Amino acid sequence: MNRIDAILQQKSVRITPMRQLVLKHFLQEDAVLGLNELEETFQKSDRITIYRTLKTFEEKGIIHSIQNGVSEVKYALCKEHCEEQHHIDRHPHFHCLVCGSIECLESVLLPPTILPQGYSASEIKMNIKGRCKKCQG
Amino acid sequence: MNRIDAILQQKSVRITPMRQLVLKHFLQEDAVLGLNELEETFQKSDRITIYRTLKTFEEKGIIHSIQNGVSEVKYALCKEHCEEQHHIDRHPHFHCLVCGSIECLESVLLPPTILPQGYSASEIKMNIKGRCKKCQG
DNA sequence: CAATTCATGCAATGGTATTGCATTGTTAGC
DNA sequence: GCTAACAATGCAATACCATTGCATGAATTG
């Protein structure tokens, strides 16, 4: 069995052509992608089906969502131990204000945050805006 | 001059009835508010005008925006030294998954984050989801 | 093989965010 | 004070993204 199918199976997602296609694309590109980009890439595919594929992937812990607050919701592969309904995004997301790119800063670990007495966290997300490596100077 | 007008003037925002009204409400409530709630509160006022008031306030550093990724954008007063185009939200935002409330955790300072070589940040936002104080147990 | 469950494709809708434009109100220079 | 310039407001309209309903087709299970 190939890598794509293995991942789908391991995450309890039924294997279909659409899902193979989308997952393959994420693995190949290793990029942050939104619905519009994917629709552009797979012009023959139905937008709604791609939408639901993303939703399914997110729910099953294959990809995680990134909200930059500007355009649409973006998605990137989970490289950590995400499972159904339980995402651990231990890295911040960087949004470059110059080139507009969005990336996962995998190398940066979210520092442990001490919550006030009585609060408990199930998800922590950090979004950073600024200039990326390519856009300095 | 009263407190409301003083703030508006200090932030270079022209004083108008609408702006006095909205700012007064934020100061009184000391809460996180969205456009819909404000529209509800000021039924006689035009939705778009409130919208633009919020945009102006955000731009001028009077309030800052909070995206919970679920509903509309929310806003809260800047209690730190925010200026035009330069927001420093040094606190995380907490979104309770039980009661739905959103609040600024003013008492929690964002830990210093070390970015990879070549990156520079102008804005850092941290959003936490979980159970708030009132919804434990 | 039949029944059920799930995925897909198309259409339609809901909601939030945003812009255009005409009008009114405010400021500033003369 | 008066007029020109500018900013704020109110109404209408739109753009875009997210989401759901439903009928059809495919896959799985007993």
Side-chain angles (χ1 to χ4, degrees), chain B residues 14 16-19 46 48-49 52-53:
Chain B
R14 190 179 284 183
T16 71
M18 177 86 264
R19 291 169 178 176
D46 181 58
I48 309 301
T49 306
R52 283 196 262 235
T53 300

Side-chain angles (χ1 to χ4, degrees), chain A residues 14 16 18-19 46 48-49 52:
Chain A
R14 190 179 285 182
T16 70
M18 177 86 265
R19 291 170 177 178
D46 180 58
I48 309 301
T49 306
R52 281 195 263 234

Side-chain angles (χ1 to χ4, degrees), chain A residues 10-13 54-65 78 80-89 121-125, chain B residues 97 129-130:
Chain A
Q10 194 251 316
K11 300 284 186 177
S12 310
V13 175
L54 291 172
K55 281 293 191 187
T56 303
F57 280 9
E58 186 189 13
E59 194 183 314
K60 298 291 186 177
I62 297 175
I63 59 178
H64 61 273
S65 66
C78 291
E80 299 149 42
H81 310 290
C82 290
E83 290 161 27
E84 189 163 353
Q85 305 293 1
H86 183 66
H87 282 270
I88 329 170
D89 299 340
S122 62
E123 181 189 290
I124 300 180
K125 293 206 176 189
Chain B
L97 296 171
K129 290 184 185 179

Side-chain angles (χ1 to χ4, degrees), chain B:
Chain B
M1 184 181 283
N2 66 45
R3 189 174 164 210
I4 316 269
D5 290 359
I7 293 172
L8 291 173
Q9 197 173 65
Q10 194 251 316
K11 300 285 187 179
S12 310
V13 175
R14 190 179 284 183
I15 297 165
T16 71
M18 177 86 264
R19 291 169 178 176
Q20 290 172 317
L21 206 60
V22 172
L23 179 52
K24 187 181 171 193
H25 192 63
F26 268 105
L27 285 165
Q28 277 179 351
E29 300 291 318
D30 192 26
V32 174
L33 302 166
L35 182 54
N36 286 331
E37 289 152 279
L38 289 168
E39 196 191 2
E40 190 79 13
T41 307
F42 307 120
Q43 301 211 350
K44 282 176 295 182
S45 307
D46 181 58
R47 178 184 178 81
I48 309 301
T49 306
I50 302 174
Y51 170 77
R52 283 196 262 235
T53 300
L54 291 172
K55 282 292 192 187
T56 304
F57 280 10
E58 186 189 14
E59 193 184 313
K60 298 292 186 175
I62 297 175
I63 59 178
H64 62 274
S65 67
I66 305 163
Q67 312 238 355
N68 63 24
V70 178
S71 60
E72 54 173 6
V73 176
K74 307 280 184 181
Y75 296 90
L77 278 177
C78 291
K79 299 194 176 169
E80 298 148 43
H81 310 291
C82 289
E83 289 161 28
E84 190 164 353
Q85 305 292 2
H86 182 66
H87 282 270
I88 330 170
D89 298 341
R90 295 201 177 284
H91 60 269
H93 294 121
F94 193 90
H95 179 196
C96 180
L97 296 171
V98 180
C99 68
S101 73
I102 295 171
E103 54 185 311
C104 298
L105 297 182
E106 305 275 359
S107 65
V108 181
L109 282 190
L110 281 193
T113 304
I114 295 128
L115 291 175
Q117 189 73 31
Y119 288 78
S120 63
S122 63
E123 182 188 290
I124 300 180
K125 292 207 177 190
M126 185 185 259
N127 287 292
I128 304 171
K129 290 184 185 179
R131 268 169 192 268
C132 77
K133 211 171 181 174
K134 295 174 195 155
C135 296
Q136 288 298 339

Side-chain angles (χ1 to χ4, degrees), chain A residues 6-137:
Chain A
I7 294 173
L8 290 174
Q9 198 173 64
Q10 194 251 316
K11 300 284 186 177
S12 310
V13 175
R14 190 179 285 182
I15 296 165
T16 70
M18 177 86 265
R19 291 170 177 178
Q20 290 172 320
L21 204 62
V22 172
L23 180 51
K24 187 181 171 195
H25 192 64
F26 268 105
L27 285 165
Q28 278 179 349
E29 300 290 318
D30 192 25
V32 174
L33 301 166
L35 181 54
N36 286 332
E37 289 151 279
L38 289 168
E39 195 191 3
E40 190 79 13
T41 306
F42 308 121
Q43 300 211 350
K44 282 177 293 184
S45 307
D46 180 58
R47 177 185 178 82
I48 309 301
T49 306
I50 302 174
Y51 170 78
R52 281 195 263 234
T53 300
L54 291 172
K55 281 293 191 187
T56 303
F57 280 9
E58 186 189 13
E59 194 183 314
K60 298 291 186 177
I62 297 175
I63 59 178
H64 61 273
S65 66
I66 305 164
Q67 312 238 356
N68 63 25
V70 177
S71 59
E72 53 174 6
V73 175
K74 308 280 183 180
Y75 296 89
L77 278 177
C78 291
K79 300 194 175 168
E80 299 149 42
H81 310 290
C82 290
E83 290 161 27
E84 189 163 353
Q85 305 293 1
H86 183 66
H87 282 270
I88 329 170
D89 299 340
R90 294 201 178 284
H91 60 269
H93 295 121
F94 193 89
H95 179 198
C96 180
L97 296 172
V98 180
C99 67
S101 73
I102 296 172
E103 56 184 309
C104 297
L105 297 182
E106 305 276 358
S107 64
V108 181
L109 282 190
L110 280 193
T113 303
I114 295 130
L115 291 175
Q117 187 74 31
Y119 289 78
S120 63
S122 62
E123 181 189 290
I124 300 180
K125 293 206 176 189
M126 186 186 258
N127 287 292
I128 305 171
K129 290 185 184 178
R131 271 169 191 267
C132 77
K133 211 171 180 173
K134 294 173 195 155
C135 296
Q136 287 299 337

